[in-house]
Amino acid sequence: DDGVSIEMQTDEINAYCTKNSLVVRKWYIDTATSASKKAAETRDAFFELIQNIKSGDTAGALLVYSTSRAFRNSYESHKYRKFFRERGIRLMSATQHIDEESSSGRLTTNILADIDQYKAEELSDYVSSAIRTMVKRGFWTGAPVPLGYKVIPADDEDGKPRKKYAIDEETAEFAEEAFKRYIDGETPASIAKRFNRYGLITSKGNPYNAEAVRCILYNDFYTGTRRLKMKGQEELIFENSVPAIIDKATFALAQQIRVDRRTN
C-alpha cells in the first residue's frame, strides 16, 4: 500500500547481490503484514528467521530492502539489531548504508528506526482518516456483506474505483422476513431453520443458526446506520450511510422484544 511491492524489493535485493557478488541462501517474505507489528508474534517469516538464527542454521548476513521493511517500531529495531549483533549476524540494506560496527553507524541506524516508526504512525493516521471517510460515504471497506445487501462498482469523488453498498433485491426480502417473524413471536432458531430450507447461507458460506439470525436482528446496519470502531478510538456512528431495508421503528420494536424476552 505504501508503493513498495514484494517484487520491487526482491528485484532490488537481487541486483544488489549481483553487484556485490553475494548469494541469497534463503528468502524470508511476509506478505500483507506491517513491519510495525510485533515482529516475532505476528510475522511468520520473521519468526522463522529468528528461530533459524537461534539454531545456527543461517548465513552470516541479513540483507533487507530497507530498515523500514524489517522494522517500523523503534523498540523492535533496537531489540532485534542487538540480537543480530550478539549472534554475529551482519544487518545490511540494499538501499541504505548501515554500519552496525561503529557507534556513529549505530546512531545513524537508531535515527532511521525513529524515522521509520514516525512514517508508520503517519501512514496509520492517514489510513484511519481514509477509512472514516469511506464508511461515512457508504463505500465498502472489505467487511462481510450483510444479508440483503450487495456491493457494486462506484467511483469516489477523485474518480478512484471503489465499491458501494446497495440493496440486493433478491435477498432483501429475507432480511425483512426475519424482522417480521421475530416481532410476530418466532425465535431466531426457528427463523434459521426457515432460512436453511430456503437454501440461504451466511456470508461465510455456512448454514444459518440462531446466532447468525441474531446478527441480523440486532444489527442497525439495516436501518442505514454504520458503526466504526478502531483501536484506541471511540466508536463512530454514521446515520444514513447505506440504503435502509428496515425502518427505525421496526428495528426499535425488535430490540424492545429482545429485552422483554431476555427479562422473561
Side-chain angles (χ1 to χ4, degrees):
D1 289 340
D2 55 7
V4 185
S5 67
I6 295 293
E7 292 76 14
M8 175 182 174
Q9 293 178 61
T10 54
D11 287 347
E12 287 288 334
I13 289 174
N14 280 324
Y16 181 92
C17 289
T18 300
K19 181 179 178 181
N20 293 276
S21 301
L22 301 174
V23 177
V24 176
R25 176 175 174 182
K26 184 172 183 177
W27 290 94
Y28 296 90
I29 300 175
D30 281 306
T31 58
T33 306
S34 172
S36 60
K37 306 290 186 181
K38 288 188 176 181
E41 294 181 15
T42 60
R43 297 158 60 192
D44 293 338
F46 192 92
F47 178 79
E48 182 185 1
L49 166 68
I50 297 304
Q51 298 308 307
N52 287 350
I53 292 176
K54 288 181 178 179
S55 66
D57 180 24
T58 185
L62 173 65
L63 176 61
V64 296
Y65 170 78
S66 72
T67 55
S68 65
R69 300 302 95 188
F71 319 104
R72 281 197 172 180
N73 177 293
S74 183
Y75 170 78
E76 293 272 291
S77 174
H78 297 317
K79 171 184 173 181
Y80 286 108
R81 282 166 41 224
K82 179 181 178 182
F83 172 84
F84 296 149
R85 287 196 302 271
E86 290 175 345
R87 287 159 177 79
I89 304 296
R90 182 185 175 193
L91 178 63
M92 303 168 62
S93 168
T95 58
Q96 300 162 307
H97 175 68
I98 297 178
D99 179 13
E100 288 281 280
E101 303 301 318
S102 67
S103 58
S104 60
R106 288 192 292 274
L107 174 62
T108 301
T109 312
N110 288 341
I111 294 172
L112 287 174
D114 290 335
I115 293 174
D116 290 338
Q117 179 168 334
Y118 166 75
K119 288 182 177 179
E121 292 172 352
E122 183 182 43
L123 178 62
S124 177
D125 290 341
Y126 168 78
V127 170
S128 296
S129 176
I131 290 176
R132 286 194 296 270
T133 300
M134 289 181 65
V135 170
K136 183 177 182 180
R137 296 180 181 176
F139 290 110
W140 181 62
T141 56
V145 180
L147 177 72
Y149 288 91
K150 60 184 177 180
V151 291
I152 59 175
D155 294 341
D156 63 16
E157 65 278 6
D158 297 323
K160 186 173 182 178
R162 302 283 189 185
K163 290 184 179 180
K164 204 164 190 175
Y165 285 101
I167 293 177
D168 182 359
E169 300 298 339
E170 294 183 0
T171 59
E173 61 181 283
F174 297 114
E176 293 179 296
E177 180 180 348
F179 279 90
K180 182 179 183 302
R181 290 188 178 280
Y182 185 69
I183 290 172
D184 288 344
E186 281 199 36
T187 66
S190 174
I191 297 171
K193 290 179 180 179
R194 287 181 179 276
F195 280 6
N196 290 330
R197 287 199 296 270
Y198 297 157
L200 298 178
I201 57 175
T202 68
S203 59
K204 296 181 179 180
N206 299 321
Y208 271 90
N209 56 25
E211 185 58 33
V213 172
R214 292 189 189 99
C215 288
I216 296 173
L217 298 171
Y218 307 158
N219 188 359
D220 57 0
F221 188 100
Y222 287 96
T223 68
T225 301
R226 291 188 71 183
R227 297 174 179 269
L228 178 63
K229 183 72 173 73
M230 291 187 286
K231 186 177 181 180
Q233 301 181 20
E234 293 185 1
E235 183 179 53
L236 300 176
I237 301 175
F238 302 100
E239 300 287 351
N240 304 314
S241 177
V242 294
I245 293 178
I246 303 299
D247 62 74
K248 291 186 181 296
T250 299
F251 184 80
L253 178 57
Q255 306 321 300
Q256 184 57 55
I257 291 173
R258 170 191 180 188
V259 173
D260 292 343
R261 290 184 181 180
R262 181 177 294 175
T263 302
N264 291 338

